[in-house]
Amino acid sequence: MGIGLAVGMFGLSFGALAVASGLTTAQAMVLSAVMFTGGSQFAFIGVIGAGGAGVAAAAAALLLGARNTFYGVALSPLVPSSGLRRVTTAQLTIDESTAMALAHQDAGEPRAARTAFWATGIAVYVGWNLATLAGALGASWLGDPADWGLDAMAPAAFLALLWPRLRDRETVAVALAAVAVALLATMVAPPGVPVLLGGAVAVVVALATDRTHR
Amino acid sequence: MMWFVVVATSLAAWLQKYLGHLVPESFVNHPRVQRATLLLPVGLLAALIAVSTFTESGRVSFDARIAGLAAAFVALLLRAPFLVVLAVAAVVAAGVRAFTG
């Protein structure tokens, strides 16, 4: 239940922000129907909204989407599939469906894990797309997004997505360093590139600290 | 052009998921790869916050969005749900804009 409500609100804000950042309602719908991974979709419209190039938006979205590959690896023994079925299984491989399936696996219920994956994946897919449509249509009626503070919703959405990942001093330090690098880069690099440099900061820290730990 | 980027990126995002169901577990379970995947979203999201709050058309700028972000921060500290966080940010930013003109 909690997931459903959260997905609905998240989808509404995605639809509204996508239109506010300059996409058409149809383009927002393609992102929700085909890309179907919230963090990447927000990153995509975030870069476009900041005036970034398509290539930079694509790179930011796909870097954030890299975690879905890991989800797929964890899910493939739990939710075995092949052929056309695998196309669907892959599409529904997202944060929520993976979390629900793995929770049942941890509880020692492999069959329930499969059911949870499909039930969660399908419910989120339907809810996410309906909410995106409602948000996009709603935003088209509002007029100038800045008058409603809609442009302030994008930073708030990114902060809310980042929040649960700030687990310790290291992640907070990486986040602050990425903010500094992105703002410095804004003065010299074209829009979109600063976001990618923020990601690069994280990877450099990950590789550098890994060596000292082992 | 925008259509091409939207469709191509969406298909590539799907392919990322699909590949996960194909590749052997040993590759992605490498600790260094896992650490990078854990921290990568932190760096990207933090940079997105910076860019969407402090820049306008590719230049550094300071406006009501900063007040909106501060309000969102407080809302998150108070464990507010997602939409409340966004609504608070929007209302505060719109309010600051209305008062400062």
Side-chain angles (χ1 to χ4, degrees):
Chain A
M1 290 303 109
I3 285 188
L5 200 62
V7 166
M9 293 171 168
F10 201 20
L12 269 178
S13 49
F14 173 72
L17 287 172
V19 170
S21 68
L23 294 193
T24 64
T25 299
Q27 287 166 340
M29 288 312 296
V30 168
L31 287 177
S32 279
V34 182
M35 188 179 285
F36 187 54
T37 174
S40 300
Q41 293 179 228
F42 270 102
F44 187 89
I45 61 168
V47 173
I48 295 293
V55 176
L62 294 177
L63 283 171
L64 264 179
R67 71 185 186 287
N68 290 327
T69 306
F70 292 77
Y71 294 164
V73 174
L75 283 174
S76 59
L78 268 182
V79 191
S81 59
S82 57
L84 208 60
R85 189 72 175 272
R86 190 180 270 156
V87 171
T88 319
T89 314
Q91 180 62 334
L92 298 181
T93 299
I94 50 162
D95 292 333
E96 293 85 352
S97 59
T98 306
M100 294 300 278
L102 293 182
H104 282 283
Q105 182 198 33
D106 294 343
E109 306 158 336
R111 188 168 299 179
R114 198 175 316 160
T115 312
F117 170 82
W118 287 105
T120 310
I122 292 169
V124 170
Y125 190 84
V126 173
W128 179 247
N129 278 279
L130 289 177
T132 300
L133 183 62
L137 293 178
S140 320
W141 284 337
L142 288 179
D144 185 4
D147 288 344
W148 299 86
L150 275 189
D151 56 340
M153 282 171 76
F158 292 128
L159 184 62
L161 286 171
L162 176 64
W163 201 257
R165 297 173 199 272
L166 297 175
R167 284 175 214 165
D168 48 30
R169 214 173 284 175
E170 185 187 35
T171 45
V172 173
V174 167
L176 292 176
V179 166
V181 167
L183 288 181
L184 286 174
T186 297
M187 300 176 191
V188 289
V193 174
V195 174
L196 303 182
L197 290 177
V201 168
V203 171
V204 167
V205 170
L207 298 182
T209 54
D210 185 49
R211 205 171 303 140
T212 55
H213 277 304
R214 56 194 63 235
Chain B
M1 184 57 199
M2 184 51 73
W3 265 116
F4 172 77
V5 177
V6 165
V7 171
T9 312
S10 297
L11 290 177
W14 171 82
L15 191 65
Q16 287 181 311
K17 301 172 177 177
Y18 188 76
L19 286 177
H21 289 266
L22 296 182
V23 300
E25 206 161 335
S26 56
F27 170 72
V28 286
N29 280 350
H30 192 284
R32 200 168 274 192
V33 176
Q34 285 203 323
R35 265 184 64 73
T37 327
L38 194 76
L39 283 178
L40 185 59
V42 173
L44 286 171
L45 288 169
L48 279 162
I49 294 171
V51 167
S52 60
T53 307
F54 300 103
T55 76
E56 177 78 60
S57 319
R59 314 184 67 155
V60 175
S61 82
F62 300 94
D63 59 37
R65 288 173 295 173
I66 299 169
L69 183 68
F73 184 84
V74 174
L76 283 164
L77 279 180
L78 298 173
R79 296 170 180 272
F82 189 78
L83 196 67
V84 173
V85 174
L86 267 63
V88 165
V91 168
V92 168
V96 167
R97 224 167 247 144
F99 275 109
T100 56

